[in-house]
Amino acid sequence: LLKRIEINRFGGPARIRIGGNPDDPPQVVQADRLIMDGRYEEAIVLLRPLWLADSNNASVVSSLKRAYKGLKDYQGLLRLVEVQWRKDPDNPVLQSEMADTYFLLSEPDSATAMIEKLLAVTPPEEGRYKLAARTFLRAGRYADGIKMYRRGRKALGDSVAFAEELGRLFEARREYGAAVEEHFRLLEARPQLRNRAQKRIVNLIKVPEAASQVTAALERIVARAPDNEFAHSLYGDLLFESGAIDSAFAEYHRADRLSTHPGDNQFRGIKQCL
């Protein structure tokens, strides 16, 4: 899953543009079509003169980067990105892109050094830690990405920061117990995101291969937070899914005793039965 997800510089899905800007020179439109056809060298021949004439043209730069990546000419890509970075060396997006390129060139020390530059601001910024972690993830260095999220949590003094990102990452790595812990961390601390976090855990409860890890995680959570309505409600969902209906309703009843809306949890269980 992680290898199929390409994250753009701002954290969203990557987009493929084909001459989307009406002001693009016709060579850019033609080069984009060549790139789509896998004819990367021909595209570079068209684009390089335009870039040399105007290295600030965003459309030209974007297309040329895609051509170099398609050709796996990472030295060419580095030269391109470096020109941008030297004009704005404190730009975190360009620092991340430089690190990306160093990883592609199998120069992890240079990449890590650039990531440290990205983080060297006071006070620490959540967005920079996200960018740093995603840089590691794009390089397939998942353990380093997880460490970076946790490092950011410590630097920010926020134990809930990055819980959603870590939860999804652990899911993709099939570390289901850790995923449940992160989603529950968010559920406890951020009421406005409670429904979303609860839904993620319920979805994991329904994954057969996750059963043992999810069970252990929810048992730990109930033991740790015996007065939390949602801990009992989710544990009830787990019992329900395993076929222990009476035990599930006992948990829903415990949840209702802790709820500001008594009866809601048992009613949800009844709907599941129906």
Side-chain angles (χ1 to χ4, degrees):
L1 172 63
L2 288 166
K3 288 182 179 177
R4 295 206 310 269
I5 297 173
E6 184 184 351
I7 301 171
N8 72 13
R9 302 273 71 78
F10 302 98
R15 294 176 183 171
I16 295 174
R17 175 191 54 77
I18 304 178
N21 186 340
D23 297 326
D24 283 348
Q27 297 99 312
V28 174
V29 178
Q30 185 180 352
D32 283 340
R33 298 196 181 282
L34 289 170
I35 291 167
M36 290 294 291
D37 291 338
R39 296 160 65 183
Y40 305 115
E41 290 184 78
E42 294 175 61
I44 291 169
V45 168
L46 279 175
L47 293 167
R48 263 191 64 80
L50 296 176
W51 177 71
L52 290 170
D54 180 7
S55 63
N56 294 318
N57 187 308
S59 296
V60 172
V61 171
S62 175
S63 296
L64 195 49
K65 284 177 183 176
R66 289 198 295 121
Y68 278 127
K69 286 179 184 177
L71 194 60
K72 294 184 169 54
D73 180 355
Y74 301 132
Q75 285 291 351
L77 178 63
L78 179 64
R79 288 192 295 271
L80 187 67
V81 177
E82 198 170 23
V83 167
Q84 289 184 288
W85 171 66
R86 290 197 181 283
K87 291 176 183 176
D88 191 4
D90 297 323
N91 185 316
V93 172
L94 293 175
Q95 289 166 330
S96 170
E97 200 165 356
M98 284 288 289
D100 283 338
T101 310
Y102 281 129
F103 278 130
L104 290 171
L105 285 164
S106 299
E107 296 181 23
D109 291 344
S110 297
T112 302
M114 188 59 67
I115 289 170
E116 290 302 324
K117 286 183 181 179
L118 188 162
L119 296 173
V121 295
T122 304
E125 297 175 10
E126 181 175 334
R128 286 177 180 259
Y129 278 97
K130 282 185 180 180
L131 195 55
R134 287 169 176 168
T135 304
F136 280 120
L137 297 179
R138 284 193 295 271
R141 299 171 68 103
Y142 305 124
D144 288 328
I146 290 168
K147 285 179 186 175
M148 184 56 67
Y149 279 131
R150 287 175 170 161
R151 176 179 159 186
R153 204 177 250 178
K154 185 176 180 180
L156 295 164
D158 182 354
S159 63
V160 184
F162 316 118
E164 192 161 19
E165 290 89 342
L166 280 166
R168 290 175 182 270
L169 180 54
F170 285 131
E171 283 183 40
R173 286 167 60 86
R174 295 185 172 86
E175 296 177 31
Y176 300 115
V180 169
E181 291 277 5
E182 291 297 335
H183 291 314
F184 191 81
R185 183 191 296 263
L186 191 66
L187 185 154
E188 267 191 304
R190 303 276 164 83
Q192 70 274 23
L193 300 175
R194 185 167 285 161
N195 288 340
R196 195 158 77 203
Q198 190 171 6
K199 184 177 179 181
R200 301 293 303 189
I201 297 173
V202 170
N203 287 342
L204 287 176
I205 286 170
K206 295 178 179 180
V207 176
E209 70 174 282
S212 61
Q213 291 187 53
V214 172
T215 299
L218 286 175
E219 286 175 349
R220 286 194 301 271
I221 288 168
V222 169
R224 187 174 73 235
D227 295 329
N228 186 290
E229 170 194 353
F230 297 99
H232 290 288
S233 177
L234 288 163
Y235 192 54
D237 290 340
L238 176 72
L239 293 167
F240 189 98
E241 195 66 26
S242 68
I245 307 300
D246 289 342
S247 297
F249 271 91
E251 288 299 319
Y252 293 146
H253 183 60
R254 290 187 184 98
D256 278 337
R257 288 208 306 266
L258 298 165
S259 176
T260 55
H261 299 283
D264 278 3
N265 291 286
Q266 291 174 85
F267 181 57
R268 192 160 60 83
I270 290 167
K271 288 197 291 185
Q272 289 184 89
C273 286
L274 294 174

